[in-house]
């Protein structure tokens, strides 16, 4: 692990996003809340939060952090010619500490999207998780980053 003992605690924010592409009928099921396993986006939100809290257990050299805030939002996007039907997940993670929260935001997105896949795989095994990336990060010595 990187030594962060001498680094000052500052307010850190990271925003990540990703999407899961699916059949239009699967998207309609998610939007209607009619999946056999229940409320797909509600469960995915809780899973993403749990994933972010366990990031240091999943990523070997990642420091454990006390998150001060984590939010996940979902956007349902109907089918279009370029991207197909999909759900966009966006996570914002915050802490006050000596290291950033990029990994927590990225983990939250990945776990949320994997949960959507798990809850919908019985009707659509061809879903694709894609475009997971860091959108912004603020705070710390390196300052701000915007994709």
């Amino acid at each position: 692990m990187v030594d962060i003992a001498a680094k000052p605690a500052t307010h850190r924010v990271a925003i990540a996003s990703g999407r899961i592409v699916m059949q239009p009928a699967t998207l309609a099921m998610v939007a209607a809340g009619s999946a056999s396993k229940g409320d797909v986006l509600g469960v995915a939100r809780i899973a993403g939060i749990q994933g972010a809290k366990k990031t240091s257990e999943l990523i070997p050299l990642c420091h454990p952090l006390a998150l001060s805030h984590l939010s996940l939002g979902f956007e349902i996007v109907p089918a279009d010619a370029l991207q197909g039907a999909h759900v966009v997940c966006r996570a914002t993670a915050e802490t006050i500490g000596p290291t950033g929260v990029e990994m927590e935001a990225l983990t939250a997105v990945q776990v949320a999207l994997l949960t959507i896949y798990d809850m919908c795989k019985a009707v659509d095994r061809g879903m694709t998780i894609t475009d997971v990336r860091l959108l912004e990060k603020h705070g710390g010595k390196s300052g701000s980053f915007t994709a």
Side-chain angles (χ1 to χ4, degrees):
M1 291 174 74
V2 173
D3 184 2
I4 59 171
K7 292 175 72 176
T10 61
H11 182 237
R12 315 280 186 136
V13 178
I15 303 169
S17 73
R19 64 189 180 102
I20 183 165
V21 181
M22 60 189 66
Q23 295 295 320
T26 308
L27 186 72
M29 178 190 72
V30 170
S34 60
S36 63
K37 287 189 174 184
D39 176 10
V40 173
L41 299 182
V43 174
R45 179 174 285 109
I46 298 301
I49 291 168
Q50 286 182 319
K53 291 166 70 173
K54 294 188 173 284
T55 298
S56 66
E57 294 174 35
L58 299 168
I59 311 297
L61 300 178
C62 196
H63 289 279
L65 300 179
L67 294 172
S68 57
H69 176 73
L70 184 79
S71 64
L72 276 91
F74 299 95
E75 178 186 1
I76 294 174
V77 182
D80 63 31
L82 296 176
Q83 298 180 328
H86 61 278
V87 175
V88 175
C89 176
R90 184 177 172 120
T92 302
E94 294 185 50
T95 193
I96 297 175
T99 191
V101 289
E102 297 95 302
M103 294 308 299
E104 287 72 14
L106 288 162
T107 300
V109 168
Q110 290 282 33
V111 171
L113 294 174
L114 285 168
T115 300
I116 293 170
Y117 185 94
D118 176 61
M119 293 186 73
C120 298
K121 70 181 183 261
V123 296
D124 186 356
R125 292 202 186 270
M127 292 175 286
T128 304
I129 295 171
T130 187
D131 300 328
V132 176
R133 65 189 187 126
L134 181 67
L135 297 176
E136 296 179 39
K137 79 90 149 166
H138 304 283
K141 184 178 177 181
S142 63
S144 293
F145 164 82
T146 302

Coordinates of all heavy atoms in Angstrom, one line a residue, residues 24-118:
P24 N -34.9 -4.1 -25.3 CA -36.0 -3.2 -25.0 C -37.0 -3.8 -24.0 O -37.5 -3.1 -23.1 CB -36.6 -2.8 -26.3 CG -35.5 -2.9 -27.3 CD -34.7 -4.1 -26.8
A25 N -37.4 -5.0 -24.2 CA -38.3 -5.7 -23.3 C -37.8 -5.8 -21.9 O -38.5 -5.7 -20.9 CB -38.7 -7.1 -23.8
T26 N -36.5 -6.1 -21.8 CA -35.9 -6.1 -20.4 C -35.9 -4.8 -19.8 O -36.2 -4.6 -18.6 CB -34.4 -6.7 -20.6 OG1 -34.4 -7.9 -21.3 CG2 -33.8 -6.9 -19.2
L27 N -35.6 -3.7 -20.6 CA -35.6 -2.4 -20.0 C -37.0 -2.0 -19.6 O -37.2 -1.4 -18.5 CB -35.1 -1.4 -21.1 CG -35.0 0.0 -20.6 CD1 -33.8 0.2 -19.7 CD2 -34.8 1.0 -21.8
A28 N -38.0 -2.4 -20.3 CA -39.4 -2.1 -19.9 C -39.7 -2.8 -18.6 O -40.4 -2.2 -17.7 CB -40.3 -2.6 -21.0
M29 N -39.3 -4.0 -18.4 CA -39.5 -4.8 -17.2 C -38.8 -4.1 -16.0 O -39.4 -3.9 -14.9 CB -38.9 -6.2 -17.3 CG -39.1 -7.1 -16.1 SD -38.2 -8.6 -16.3 CE -36.5 -8.0 -16.1
V30 N -37.6 -3.6 -16.2 CA -36.9 -2.9 -15.2 C -37.6 -1.6 -14.8 O -37.9 -1.3 -13.6 CB -35.4 -2.6 -15.6 CG1 -34.8 -1.6 -14.6 CG2 -34.6 -3.9 -15.7
A31 N -38.0 -0.9 -15.8 CA -38.7 0.4 -15.6 C -40.1 0.2 -14.9 O -40.5 1.0 -14.0 CB -38.9 1.1 -16.9
A32 N -40.8 -0.9 -15.2 CA -42.1 -1.2 -14.6 C -42.0 -1.8 -13.2 O -43.0 -1.8 -12.5 CB -42.9 -2.1 -15.5
G33 N -40.8 -2.2 -12.9 CA -40.6 -2.9 -11.6 C -41.2 -4.2 -11.5 O -41.6 -4.7 -10.4
S34 N -41.3 -4.9 -12.7 CA -42.0 -6.2 -12.7 C -41.1 -7.4 -12.8 O -41.5 -8.5 -13.2 CB -43.0 -6.2 -13.9 OG -42.3 -6.0 -15.1
A35 N -39.8 -7.3 -12.5 CA -38.9 -8.4 -12.5 C -39.2 -9.4 -11.5 O -39.7 -9.0 -10.4 CB -37.4 -7.9 -12.3
S36 N -39.1 -10.7 -11.7 CA -39.4 -11.7 -10.8 C -38.7 -11.6 -9.5 O -39.2 -12.0 -8.4 CB -39.3 -13.1 -11.4 OG -37.9 -13.3 -11.7
K37 N -37.5 -11.1 -9.5 CA -36.7 -10.9 -8.3 C -37.0 -9.6 -7.5 O -36.4 -9.4 -6.4 CB -35.2 -11.0 -8.6 CG -34.7 -12.4 -9.0 CD -33.1 -12.4 -9.1 CE -32.6 -13.8 -9.3 NZ -31.1 -13.8 -9.3
G38 N -37.8 -8.8 -8.1 CA -38.2 -7.6 -7.3 C -37.8 -6.3 -8.0 O -37.5 -6.2 -9.2
D39 N -37.6 -5.2 -7.2 CA -37.3 -3.9 -7.6 C -35.8 -3.9 -8.0 O -34.9 -3.7 -7.1 CB -37.5 -2.9 -6.5 CG -37.1 -1.5 -6.8 OD1 -36.7 -1.2 -7.9 OD2 -37.1 -0.7 -5.9
V40 N -35.5 -4.0 -9.3 CA -34.1 -4.1 -9.8 C -33.3 -2.9 -9.4 O -32.2 -3.1 -8.9 CB -34.1 -4.3 -11.3 CG1 -32.7 -4.3 -11.9 CG2 -34.8 -5.6 -11.7
L41 N -33.8 -1.7 -9.7 CA -32.9 -0.5 -9.4 C -32.8 -0.3 -7.9 O -31.7 0.2 -7.5 CB -33.5 0.7 -10.1 CG -33.5 0.5 -11.7 CD1 -34.1 1.8 -12.3 CD2 -32.2 0.2 -12.2
G42 N -33.8 -0.6 -7.1 CA -33.7 -0.4 -5.7 C -32.7 -1.3 -5.1 O -31.8 -0.9 -4.3
V43 N -32.7 -2.6 -5.5 CA -31.7 -3.6 -5.0 C -30.3 -3.2 -5.5 O -29.3 -3.3 -4.8 CB -32.1 -5.0 -5.4 CG1 -31.0 -6.0 -5.1 CG2 -33.4 -5.4 -4.8
A44 N -30.2 -2.7 -6.8 CA -28.9 -2.4 -7.3 C -28.3 -1.2 -6.6 O -27.1 -1.1 -6.4 CB -29.1 -2.0 -8.8
R45 N -29.2 -0.2 -6.2 CA -28.7 0.9 -5.4 C -28.1 0.4 -4.1 O -26.9 0.9 -3.7 CB -29.8 1.9 -5.1 CG -29.4 3.1 -4.3 CD -30.5 4.1 -4.2 NE -30.7 4.9 -5.5 CZ -31.7 4.7 -6.3 NH1 -32.7 3.9 -6.0 NH2 -31.7 5.4 -7.5
I46 N -28.7 -0.4 -3.4 CA -28.2 -0.9 -2.1 C -26.9 -1.7 -2.3 O -26.0 -1.6 -1.6 CB -29.3 -1.8 -1.4 CG1 -30.5 -0.9 -1.0 CG2 -28.7 -2.5 -0.1 CD1 -30.2 0.2 -0.1
A47 N -26.9 -2.5 -3.4 CA -25.7 -3.3 -3.7 C -24.5 -2.5 -4.0 O -23.4 -2.7 -3.6 CB -26.0 -4.3 -4.9
G48 N -24.8 -1.4 -4.8 CA -23.7 -0.4 -5.1 C -23.1 0.2 -3.8 O -21.9 0.4 -3.7
I49 N -24.0 0.6 -2.9 CA -23.5 1.2 -1.7 C -22.7 0.2 -0.9 O -21.6 0.5 -0.4 CB -24.7 1.7 -0.8 CG1 -25.4 2.9 -1.5 CG2 -24.3 2.0 0.6 CD1 -26.7 3.3 -1.0
Q50 N -23.2 -1.1 -0.8 CA -22.4 -2.1 -0.1 C -21.1 -2.3 -0.7 O -20.1 -2.5 -0.1 CB -23.2 -3.4 0.0 CG -24.4 -3.4 0.9 CD -25.1 -4.7 1.0 OE1 -25.3 -5.3 -0.1 NE2 -25.4 -5.2 2.2
G51 N -21.1 -2.4 -2.1 CA -19.8 -2.6 -2.8 C -18.8 -1.5 -2.5 O -17.6 -1.8 -2.3
A52 N -19.3 -0.2 -2.5 CA -18.3 0.9 -2.2 C -17.8 0.7 -0.9 O -16.6 1.0 -0.6 CB -19.1 2.2 -2.4
K53 N -18.6 0.3 0.1 CA -18.1 0.2 1.5 C -17.1 -0.9 1.6 O -16.3 -0.9 2.6 CB -19.3 0.0 2.4 CG -20.2 1.3 2.6 CD -21.5 1.0 3.2 CE -21.4 0.7 4.6 NZ -22.7 0.6 5.3
K54 N -17.1 -1.9 0.7 CA -16.2 -3.0 0.8 C -15.1 -3.0 -0.2 O -14.4 -4.0 -0.4 CB -17.0 -4.3 0.6 CG -18.0 -4.6 1.8 CD -18.6 -5.9 1.6 CE -19.4 -6.3 2.9 NZ -18.6 -6.6 4.0
T55 N -14.8 -1.8 -0.8 CA -13.8 -1.7 -1.9 C -12.5 -2.2 -1.4 O -11.8 -2.9 -2.1 CB -13.8 -0.2 -2.3 OG1 -15.0 0.1 -2.9 CG2 -12.7 -0.1 -3.4
S56 N -12.0 -1.8 -0.2 CA -10.7 -2.2 0.2 C -10.6 -3.7 0.5 O -9.5 -4.3 0.5 CB -10.3 -1.5 1.5 OG -11.1 -1.9 2.6
E57 N -11.7 -4.4 0.6 CA -11.7 -5.9 0.7 C -11.6 -6.5 -0.6 O -11.1 -7.7 -0.7 CB -12.9 -6.4 1.5 CG -13.0 -5.9 2.9 CD -14.4 -6.3 3.5 OE1 -14.9 -7.4 3.2 OE2 -14.9 -5.5 4.3
L58 N -12.0 -5.8 -1.7 CA -12.0 -6.4 -3.0 C -10.7 -6.0 -3.8 O -10.3 -6.8 -4.6 CB -13.2 -5.9 -3.8 CG -14.6 -6.2 -3.2 CD1 -15.7 -5.4 -3.9 CD2 -14.8 -7.7 -3.3
I59 N -10.2 -4.9 -3.6 CA -9.0 -4.4 -4.3 C -7.8 -4.5 -3.4 O -7.8 -3.7 -2.4 CB -9.2 -2.9 -4.8 CG1 -10.6 -2.7 -5.5 CG2 -8.0 -2.5 -5.7 CD1 -10.7 -3.5 -6.8
P60 N -6.9 -5.3 -3.6 CA -5.9 -5.7 -2.6 C -5.1 -4.5 -2.0 O -4.8 -4.5 -0.8 CB -4.9 -6.6 -3.4 CG -5.8 -7.2 -4.4 CD -6.8 -6.2 -4.8
L61 N -4.7 -3.5 -2.8 CA -3.8 -2.4 -2.2 C -4.6 -1.1 -2.0 O -4.0 -0.1 -1.8 CB -2.7 -2.2 -3.2 CG -1.8 -3.4 -3.4 CD1 -0.6 -3.1 -4.3 CD2 -1.2 -3.9 -2.0
C62 N -5.9 -1.2 -1.9 CA -6.8 -0.1 -1.7 C -6.9 0.2 -0.2 O -7.2 -0.7 0.6 CB -8.1 -0.3 -2.4 SG -9.1 1.1 -2.6
H63 N -6.8 1.4 0.2 CA -6.9 1.8 1.6 C -8.4 1.7 2.0 O -9.3 2.2 1.3 CB -6.4 3.2 1.9 CG -5.0 3.4 1.8 ND1 -4.1 3.0 2.8 CD2 -4.1 3.8 0.8 CE1 -2.9 3.2 2.5 NE2 -2.9 3.7 1.3
P64 N -8.7 1.2 3.2 CA -10.1 1.3 3.7 C -10.4 2.8 4.1 O -9.6 3.5 4.7 CB -10.1 0.5 5.0 CG -8.7 0.3 5.3 CD -7.8 0.5 4.1
L65 N -11.6 3.2 3.6 CA -12.0 4.6 3.9 C -13.3 4.7 4.6 O -14.1 3.9 4.4 CB -12.2 5.4 2.5 CG -11.0 5.4 1.6 CD1 -11.4 6.2 0.3 CD2 -9.8 6.1 2.2
A66 N -13.4 5.8 5.4 CA -14.7 6.1 6.0 C -15.4 7.0 5.0 O -15.1 8.2 4.9 CB -14.5 6.8 7.3
L67 N -16.4 6.5 4.3 CA -17.2 7.3 3.4 C -18.1 8.3 4.1 O -18.8 7.8 5.1 CB -18.0 6.4 2.4 CG -17.2 5.6 1.5 CD1 -18.1 4.6 0.7 CD2 -16.5 6.4 0.5
S68 N -18.1 9.5 3.8 CA -19.0 10.5 4.4 C -20.3 10.6 3.6 O -21.4 11.0 4.1 CB -18.4 11.8 4.6 OG -18.0 12.3 3.3
H69 N -20.3 10.2 2.3 CA -21.5 10.2 1.5 C -21.3 9.3 0.3 O -20.2 9.2 -0.3 CB -21.8 11.7 1.0 CG -22.9 11.8 0.1 ND1 -24.2 11.7 0.5 CD2 -23.0 11.9 -1.3 CE1 -25.0 11.8 -0.5 NE2 -24.3 11.9 -1.6
L70 N -22.4 8.6 -0.1 CA -22.3 7.9 -1.3 C -23.8 7.9 -1.9 O -24.7 7.6 -1.2 CB -21.9 6.4 -1.1 CG -21.8 5.6 -2.4 CD1 -20.5 6.0 -3.1 CD2 -21.9 4.2 -2.2
S71 N -23.9 8.3 -3.2 CA -25.2 8.2 -3.8 C -25.1 7.5 -5.1 O -24.1 7.7 -5.8 CB -25.8 9.6 -3.9 OG -25.0 10.4 -4.8
L72 N -26.2 6.8 -5.5 CA -26.2 6.2 -6.8 C -27.5 6.6 -7.5 O -28.6 6.6 -6.8 CB -26.2 4.7 -6.7 CG -24.9 4.0 -6.6 CD1 -24.5 3.9 -5.2 CD2 -24.9 2.7 -7.3
G73 N -27.4 7.0 -8.7 CA -28.6 7.3 -9.5 C -28.6 6.5 -10.8 O -27.6 6.0 -11.3
F74 N -29.8 6.3 -11.3 CA -30.0 5.5 -12.5 C -30.9 6.3 -13.5 O -31.8 6.9 -13.1 CB -30.7 4.2 -12.2 CG -30.0 3.3 -11.2 CD1 -30.2 3.3 -9.9 CD2 -28.9 2.5 -11.7 CE1 -29.5 2.5 -9.0 CE2 -28.2 1.7 -10.8 CZ -28.5 1.7 -9.5
E75 N -30.5 6.1 -14.8 CA -31.3 6.7 -15.9 C -31.6 5.6 -16.8 O -30.8 4.9 -17.3 CB -30.4 7.8 -16.6 CG -31.1 8.4 -17.7 CD -30.2 9.4 -18.5 OE1 -29.1 9.5 -18.2 OE2 -30.7 9.9 -19.5
I76 N -32.9 5.5 -17.1 CA -33.4 4.5 -18.1 C -33.4 5.2 -19.4 O -34.1 6.2 -19.6 CB -34.8 4.0 -17.7 CG1 -34.7 3.2 -16.3 CG2 -35.4 3.2 -18.7 CD1 -36.0 2.8 -15.7
V77 N -32.7 4.6 -20.4 CA -32.6 5.2 -21.7 C -33.2 4.2 -22.8 O -32.7 3.1 -22.9 CB -31.1 5.5 -22.1 CG1 -31.0 6.1 -23.4 CG2 -30.5 6.4 -21.0
P78 N -34.3 4.6 -23.4 CA -34.9 3.7 -24.4 C -34.0 3.4 -25.6 O -33.0 4.1 -25.8 CB -36.1 4.5 -24.9 CG -36.4 5.6 -23.9 CD -35.0 5.8 -23.2
A79 N -34.3 2.4 -26.3 CA -33.5 2.0 -27.4 C -33.3 3.1 -28.4 O -34.2 3.8 -28.8 CB -34.1 0.7 -28.1
D80 N -32.1 3.2 -28.9 CA -31.8 4.1 -30.1 C -30.9 3.3 -31.0 O -30.4 2.3 -30.7 CB -31.3 5.4 -29.6 CG -29.9 5.4 -28.9 OD1 -29.1 4.5 -29.3 OD2 -29.6 6.2 -28.1
A81 N -30.7 3.9 -32.2 CA -29.9 3.2 -33.2 C -28.4 3.0 -32.8 O -27.8 2.0 -33.3 CB -30.0 4.0 -34.5
L82 N -27.9 3.9 -32.0 CA -26.5 3.8 -31.7 C -26.1 3.0 -30.5 O -25.1 2.3 -30.5 CB -25.9 5.3 -31.5 CG -26.0 6.2 -32.7 CD1 -25.6 7.6 -32.4 CD2 -25.2 5.6 -33.9
Q83 N -26.9 3.1 -29.4 CA -26.6 2.5 -28.2 C -27.5 1.4 -27.7 O -27.2 0.7 -26.7 CB -26.4 3.6 -27.1 CG -25.3 4.6 -27.4 CD -25.2 5.6 -26.3 OE1 -26.2 6.0 -25.7 NE2 -24.0 6.1 -26.1
G84 N -28.6 1.3 -28.2 CA -29.6 0.3 -27.8 C -30.2 0.7 -26.4 O -29.9 1.7 -25.9
A85 N -31.1 -0.1 -25.9 CA -31.8 0.2 -24.7 C -30.8 0.0 -23.5 O -30.0 -1.0 -23.6 CB -33.0 -0.7 -24.5
H86 N -30.7 0.9 -22.6 CA -29.7 0.7 -21.5 C -30.1 1.5 -20.2 O -31.0 2.4 -20.3 CB -28.3 1.1 -22.0 CG -28.2 2.5 -22.4 ND1 -28.5 2.9 -23.7 CD2 -27.7 3.6 -21.7 CE1 -28.2 4.2 -23.8 NE2 -27.7 4.6 -22.6
V87 N -29.5 1.1 -19.2 CA -29.6 1.8 -17.9 C -28.2 2.4 -17.6 O -27.2 1.7 -17.7 CB -30.0 0.9 -16.8 CG1 -30.0 1.6 -15.4 CG2 -31.4 0.3 -17.0
V88 N -28.2 3.7 -17.3 CA -26.9 4.4 -16.9 C -26.9 4.4 -15.4 O -27.9 4.8 -14.8 CB -26.8 5.8 -17.5 CG1 -25.6 6.5 -17.0 CG2 -26.8 5.7 -19.0
C89 N -25.8 4.1 -14.8 CA -25.6 4.2 -13.3 C -24.5 5.3 -13.1 O -23.5 5.3 -13.8 CB -25.2 2.9 -12.7 SG -24.8 3.0 -11.0
R90 N -24.8 6.1 -12.1 CA -23.9 7.2 -11.8 C -23.7 7.2 -10.3 O -24.7 7.2 -9.5 CB -24.4 8.5 -12.3 CG -23.4 9.7 -12.1 CD -24.0 10.9 -12.7 NE -23.3 12.1 -12.3 CZ -22.7 12.9 -13.2 NH1 -22.8 12.6 -14.5 NH2 -22.0 13.9 -12.8
A91 N -22.5 7.1 -9.8 CA -22.2 7.1 -8.4 C -21.3 8.3 -8.0 O -20.4 8.6 -8.7 CB -21.5 5.8 -8.0
T92 N -21.6 8.9 -6.9 CA -20.9 9.9 -6.3 C -20.4 9.5 -4.9 O -21.3 9.2 -4.0 CB -21.7 11.3 -6.2 OG1 -22.1 11.6 -7.5 CG2 -20.8 12.4 -5.6
A93 N -19.1 9.5 -4.7 CA -18.6 9.1 -3.4 C -17.8 10.3 -2.8 O -17.1 11.0 -3.5 CB -17.6 7.9 -3.5
E94 N -17.9 10.4 -1.4 CA -17.2 11.5 -0.8 C -16.6 11.0 0.5 O -17.2 10.1 1.2 CB -18.2 12.7 -0.4 CG -18.7 13.4 -1.6 CD -19.6 14.6 -1.3 OE1 -19.1 15.4 -0.5 OE2 -20.7 14.7 -1.8
T95 N -15.5 11.7 0.9 CA -14.9 11.4 2.2 C -14.1 12.6 2.6 O -13.8 13.5 1.8 CB -14.0 10.2 2.2 OG1 -13.7 9.8 3.5 CG2 -12.7 10.4 1.4
I96 N -13.7 12.7 3.8 CA -12.7 13.6 4.3 C -11.5 12.8 4.8 O -11.7 12.0 5.8 CB -13.2 14.6 5.4 CG1 -14.3 15.4 4.8 CG2 -12.1 15.4 5.9 CD1 -15.0 16.3 5.8
G97 N -10.4 12.8 4.0 CA -9.3 11.9 4.4 C -8.1 12.2 3.6 O -8.1 13.1 2.7
P98 N -7.0 11.4 3.7 CA -5.8 11.6 3.1 C -5.6 10.9 1.7 O -4.6 11.0 1.1 CB -4.8 10.9 4.1 CG -5.5 9.8 4.7 CD -7.0 10.3 4.8
T99 N -6.7 10.2 1.2 CA -6.6 9.6 -0.1 C -8.0 9.6 -0.7 O -9.0 9.8 -0.1 CB -6.1 8.1 0.0 OG1 -5.8 7.6 -1.3 CG2 -7.1 7.2 0.7
G100 N -8.0 9.5 -2.1 CA -9.2 9.7 -2.8 C -10.2 8.6 -2.8 O -9.9 7.5 -2.3
V101 N -11.4 8.8 -3.4 CA -12.5 7.9 -3.4 C -12.9 7.4 -4.8 O -14.0 6.9 -5.0 CB -13.7 8.5 -2.7 CG1 -13.5 8.6 -1.2 CG2 -14.1 9.8 -3.3
E102 N -11.9 7.5 -5.7 CA -12.2 7.1 -7.1 C -12.6 5.6 -7.1 O -13.5 5.2 -7.8 CB -11.0 7.3 -8.0 CG -10.6 8.7 -8.2 CD -9.5 9.2 -7.2 OE1 -9.7 9.1 -6.0 OE2 -8.5 9.6 -7.7
M103 N -11.8 4.8 -6.4 CA -12.1 3.3 -6.4 C -13.5 3.0 -5.8 O -14.1 2.1 -6.3 CB -11.0 2.5 -5.7 CG -9.6 2.7 -6.4 SD -9.6 2.2 -8.2 CE -10.2 0.5 -8.1
E104 N -13.9 3.7 -4.8 CA -15.2 3.5 -4.2 C -16.3 3.8 -5.2 O -17.3 3.1 -5.3 CB -15.3 4.2 -2.9 CG -14.5 3.7 -1.8 CD -13.0 3.9 -1.9 OE1 -12.5 4.7 -2.7 OE2 -12.2 3.2 -1.1
A105 N -16.2 4.9 -5.9 CA -17.2 5.3 -6.9 C -17.2 4.3 -8.0 O -18.3 3.9 -8.4 CB -16.9 6.7 -7.4
L106 N -16.1 3.9 -8.5 CA -16.0 2.9 -9.6 C -16.6 1.5 -9.2 O -17.3 0.9 -9.9 CB -14.6 2.7 -10.1 CG -14.1 3.9 -10.9 CD1 -12.6 3.9 -11.0 CD2 -14.7 4.0 -12.3
T107 N -16.3 1.1 -8.0 CA -16.8 -0.2 -7.4 C -18.3 -0.1 -7.3 O -19.0 -1.1 -7.6 CB -16.1 -0.5 -6.1 OG1 -14.7 -0.6 -6.3 CG2 -16.6 -1.8 -5.5
A108 N -18.8 1.0 -6.8 CA -20.2 1.2 -6.6 C -21.0 1.0 -7.9 O -22.0 0.2 -8.0 CB -20.6 2.5 -6.0
V109 N -20.4 1.6 -9.0 CA -21.0 1.5 -10.3 C -21.0 0.0 -10.8 O -22.0 -0.6 -11.3 CB -20.4 2.4 -11.3 CG1 -20.8 2.1 -12.8 CG2 -20.7 3.8 -11.0
Q110 N -19.8 -0.6 -10.7 CA -19.7 -2.0 -11.2 C -20.6 -3.0 -10.4 O -21.3 -3.8 -11.1 CB -18.2 -2.5 -11.0 CG -17.3 -1.8 -12.0 CD -17.3 -2.4 -13.4 OE1 -18.3 -2.8 -13.9 NE2 -16.2 -2.4 -14.0
V111 N -20.7 -2.9 -9.1 CA -21.5 -3.8 -8.3 C -23.0 -3.5 -8.6 O -23.8 -4.5 -8.8 CB -21.2 -3.7 -6.8 CG1 -22.2 -4.4 -6.0 CG2 -19.8 -4.2 -6.6
A112 N -23.4 -2.3 -8.8 CA -24.8 -2.0 -9.1 C -25.1 -2.6 -10.5 O -26.2 -3.2 -10.6 CB -25.0 -0.4 -9.1
L113 N -24.3 -2.4 -11.5 CA -24.5 -2.9 -12.8 C -24.5 -4.5 -12.8 O -25.4 -5.1 -13.5 CB -23.5 -2.4 -13.8 CG -23.6 -0.9 -14.1 CD1 -22.5 -0.4 -15.0 CD2 -25.0 -0.5 -14.6
L114 N -23.6 -5.1 -12.1 CA -23.7 -6.5 -11.9 C -24.9 -7.0 -11.3 O -25.5 -8.1 -11.6 CB -22.4 -7.0 -11.1 CG -21.1 -7.0 -11.9 CD1 -20.0 -7.2 -10.9 CD2 -21.1 -8.0 -13.0
T115 N -25.5 -6.3 -10.3 CA -26.7 -6.6 -9.7 C -27.9 -6.6 -10.7 O -28.7 -7.5 -10.7 CB -27.0 -5.7 -8.5 OG1 -25.9 -5.9 -7.6 CG2 -28.3 -6.1 -7.8
I116 N -27.9 -5.5 -11.5 CA -28.9 -5.5 -12.6 C -28.8 -6.7 -13.4 O -29.8 -7.3 -13.8 CB -28.8 -4.2 -13.4 CG1 -29.1 -3.0 -12.5 CG2 -29.7 -4.2 -14.6 CD1 -28.8 -1.6 -13.1
Y117 N -27.6 -7.1 -13.8 CA -27.4 -8.2 -14.7 C -28.0 -9.5 -14.0 O -28.7 -10.3 -14.5 CB -25.9 -8.5 -15.0 CG -25.8 -9.6 -16.0 CD1 -25.7 -9.4 -17.4 CD2 -25.7 -10.9 -15.6 CE1 -25.6 -10.4 -18.3 CE2 -25.6 -12.0 -16.4 CZ -25.5 -11.7 -17.8 OH -25.4 -12.8 -18.7
D118 N -27.6 -9.7 -12.7 CA -28.1 -10.8 -12.0 C -29.6 -10.9 -11.9 O -30.2 -12.0 -12.0 CB -27.5 -10.8 -10.6 CG -28.0 -12.0 -9.7 OD1 -27.7 -13.1 -10.1 OD2 -28.6 -11.7 -8.7

